[in-house]
Each structure stands twice: as C-alpha cells, then as structure tokens.
Amino acid sequence: MASALADLRVIDISTSASGAWCSRMLAGFGADVVMLEPPAGHPMRREAPFDAAGESIPGAYFLAGKRSAVFDPAAEDAAARLLALTARADVVVSSFRSHEWQALGVDSAQLAAGNAIVAHITPYGMTGERAALPANELTVAALSGWAALNGEAARPPLRPVGHQVAFCAGTLAAAAITGAVIERERAGGSGQEVDLSELDAMVSAASPNILRGQYTGRSTPRREGVDITTGPVPVADGHFALTISRAHFWRDAMNVLGLEDLAEDPRWEASWYRQAHKHEYTERVGQAMRQWAKSDLFDELAARRVVAGPVLTMEELHANEHLRERGFWVEVDGLRQPGAAFKMSATPWSLPSGMPAPASEGASQ
C-alpha cells in the first residue's frame, strides 16, 4: 500500500531521544530517513537494557526504520559536509542549540532558505534565557510543572518514566514538520524553520491545570492519598481503577461488590455528596474490592458498562487480547514492539526495518 510520506527525504542530525522519535515517526509514514551519527554512534545505542547480542533495546525501538551514516561535528570540513549532505533533503531534524550551530559554522536559516524544513528539537527552544542550557527528562518535567502535579502531597513530586518528554516533543515535532511540508507544497517550494522546545511541549500538556490556576488563584494540589475516588487501589492480584462519577456507575459497581445498601441508598446518587462524605464508604468499598481478581472484576463491571480498568503490568500488556486483536504489536528484527497508536486505511504506518548497523567512517563520504 502507499505510504503517506514516501517521497520525503529526511536527514536526522539529532542526538536526543526526542529527535530520534520524531524521525522514527516520519520513517513510519514512509519517509526515507538517514541519521547522521557522531563517530561514537547515536547515544540511544548505549542505553540499557541490552539484548543477548549486546544491542540496546531502547535504541532498537527509537532508531528503527532509518539508514545510517557518520557525521563528526568536530571535523574541519564538518560545515561543508553537512551542507552537502543536506542539499537535497526535504527535512532536517536537529537537536543542535543555537550556539552549537554557530560552533559548527552553519547558519540553520541557510538550510531553510531553499526548500528544506529545519526542525529544531531542543530542551528550551532556540531563543530565551535557557536556550543554551542542557536538560534531561527530570529537569524538563520539573520546570514544566509536570512533576508538581503528579504524585501524593506527602511525598516528593514524581518524574516521568520511559522517555515521556521525548515522546511528547517528538510526536509534536513530527506533526509540525508534516504541517510545514504541506505549507511548502501549497506555497510552491519555500522552506522554513520549526522551533520546538521540550519544555513548551510539556507545559502545553499541563494547560488545563495552568488555566485552572489562573482562575482560582492557586495551584492544583497533588492528591492527599489514594482511595477509590482517586485510585488505583489494591485488589487481590494487583491494583484497579474504578470510576464512580455517575449515579449508575456507583449503583452497578456497589451491586457487583455485594454492597447493596450503598447501591440503593438515594443519598449516594449525587456525585458531590459522595465526594463530600467519602470517608463513610471508601474503606468498606476498598475491602470489598480486595476480594476480587482484577480481570474478574473488570469483566463484571464492563458487562454493566461501568468505566473501570485493571492496572496491567508490562508482562500483562504483551498478552492483552484487545491489543492483539487490533494488531497493535509489530515484529521488527525479532523484537516485538508497540506499533502505531492509530490506523490509516489508505496509507498505513509501518516500519520496514529495524535499527541500522552502526555506519563506518567510509560510509559517510
């Protein structure tokens, strides 16, 4: 079948997880992606855990679907070589900050002066007082307010796991690049620069809480503790999230748990009343839930259209029947990994190849 970006030529000179994820998204849409790796290889190749052959499992996921060549920014001819390598590119994906472009001796605007889309994916953007500073998932989560919103009030703020900042920023960058490509086609061949900050991406994700703070005059507090109204809570073989926001959710869930008196008492039909008086029932409901296996409880509640869900472990996700039936998992070079989170009927997303072998110096000439 056709690929949506089959004619797009992408040069990825980024060394960040955000940049790697962005170009992987583009490769999945059919773009021809060549990543220019430093002589030591892309940093993702050195990220644990490793398989039996000593290859990085995260690297195999983030770098799949691409070709590889070596590019040394410290080489004397680095600027000339980069201009030559990107001369016929439709898109350049970069994690270089402004001062790094200057040290390289290349004006990024020069690349966009032709028809290239130059996407800068950096921690803090290409402008502003933090533009030159390094960062990682922890610092971006802290500065963006993400950490302040997650976790319990009595404990330290949480940090994202599994490159969540990279996934958010990289996905937004791929969308912005696609929009810029459409604009270039509409305008007849003009390129442009895309400046995407990881911090901006994460602050945008917290927008509802930022807006709430503006109107209430106070920050959204982290939760005081965990009960069935905030969840997930323990069950016999793990944890379970139960939604009781509507009257019929409450009634049906209480009947399933064998708490008929709570189900039929009209006082509990109003959501505000349940929240105001939750101390009267949360421990009792929690005890009833601990008698259930999470899959059994989910089946009973789902049959009654109650919104609920078991907390699945990573091992359980691999065996999940719903994901299997949707064809979510894909096999790439023997590695079973998550596929696209969407379905396209005419131009499906796919990865024809896994992580390329590290390129030799000669392959980059």
Side-chain angles (χ1 to χ4, degrees), residues 61-334:
Y61 185 62
F62 277 81
L63 305 181
K66 311 172 191 181
R67 296 186 289 138
S68 176
V70 175
F71 172 70
D72 184 358
E76 290 185 4
D77 62 344
R81 289 197 57 245
L82 182 60
L83 290 174
L85 289 167
T86 59
R88 297 180 63 249
D90 295 297
V91 175
V92 177
V93 177
S94 168
S95 60
F96 290 172
R97 290 161 287 173
S98 295
H99 69 281
E100 291 170 317
W101 280 105
Q102 293 172 4
L104 185 60
V106 175
D107 181 359
S108 59
Q110 181 180 350
L111 302 179
N115 71 342
I117 308 300
V118 183
H120 306 280
I121 310 173
T122 60
Y124 303 123
M126 301 297 282
T127 61
E129 64 179 17
R130 290 182 174 271
L133 299 180
N136 57 25
E137 293 262 328
L138 178 61
T139 57
V140 171
L143 281 166
S144 67
W146 192 98
L149 296 171
N150 287 278
E152 297 183 27
R155 297 183 177 185
L158 296 181
R159 59 164 293 173
V161 297
H163 292 298
Q164 290 305 300
V165 170
F167 283 121
C168 287
T171 300
L172 287 174
I177 289 168
T178 304
V181 169
I182 294 172
E183 164 61 15
R184 183 181 63 192
E185 297 301 314
R186 186 188 67 80
S190 59
Q192 64 174 297
E193 294 185 87
V194 176
D195 179 1
L196 193 140
S197 156
E198 293 175 340
L199 177 63
D200 293 357
M202 295 304 287
V203 171
S204 296
S207 294
N209 294 286
I210 295 171
L211 296 173
R212 181 185 302 169
Q214 289 182 15
Y215 284 99
T216 64
R218 57 182 183 276
S219 299
T220 302
R222 297 201 305 281
R223 59 189 182 184
E224 294 298 329
V226 178
D227 56 43
I228 67 163
T229 65
T230 55
V233 296
V235 291
D237 58 347
H239 289 79
F240 196 91
L242 174 62
T243 297
I244 53 174
S245 57
R246 301 181 183 179
H248 71 276
F249 289 170
W250 168 266
R251 182 182 63 252
D252 292 343
M254 294 307 104
N255 279 321
V256 166
L257 294 172
L259 304 174
E260 291 82 2
D261 59 313
L262 293 178
E264 302 305 326
D265 190 332
R267 292 180 303 165
W268 303 114
E269 292 183 0
S271 177
W272 68 267
Y273 187 88
R274 291 195 301 272
Q275 186 63 32
H277 298 270
K278 65 179 184 178
H279 63 280
E280 297 181 27
Y281 63 80
T282 51
E283 180 57 34
R284 186 179 172 198
V285 174
Q287 288 179 351
M289 292 178 67
R290 284 191 284 271
Q291 309 308 309
W292 285 79
K294 57 188 177 184
S295 61
D296 294 338
L297 183 56
F298 175 71
D299 289 343
E300 289 292 332
L301 293 172
R304 294 162 175 79
R305 299 295 188 268
V306 175
V307 179
V311 176
L312 298 183
T313 64
M314 298 302 101
E315 294 79 9
E316 290 168 334
L317 276 173
H318 277 287
N320 184 263
E321 186 67 16
H322 175 77
L323 293 174
R324 187 193 65 78
E325 287 182 357
R326 282 184 53 79
F328 176 71
W329 304 105
V330 296
E331 293 279 346
V332 180
D333 289 353

Side-chain angles (χ1 to χ4, degrees), residues 7 11 14 25 31 36 40 50 53 56 78 104 118 131 142 148 212 224 245:
D7 297 326
I11 297 294
S14 70
M25 290 284 293
L36 302 184
F50 302 94
S56 165
L104 185 60
V118 183
R212 181 185 302 169
E224 294 298 329
S245 57

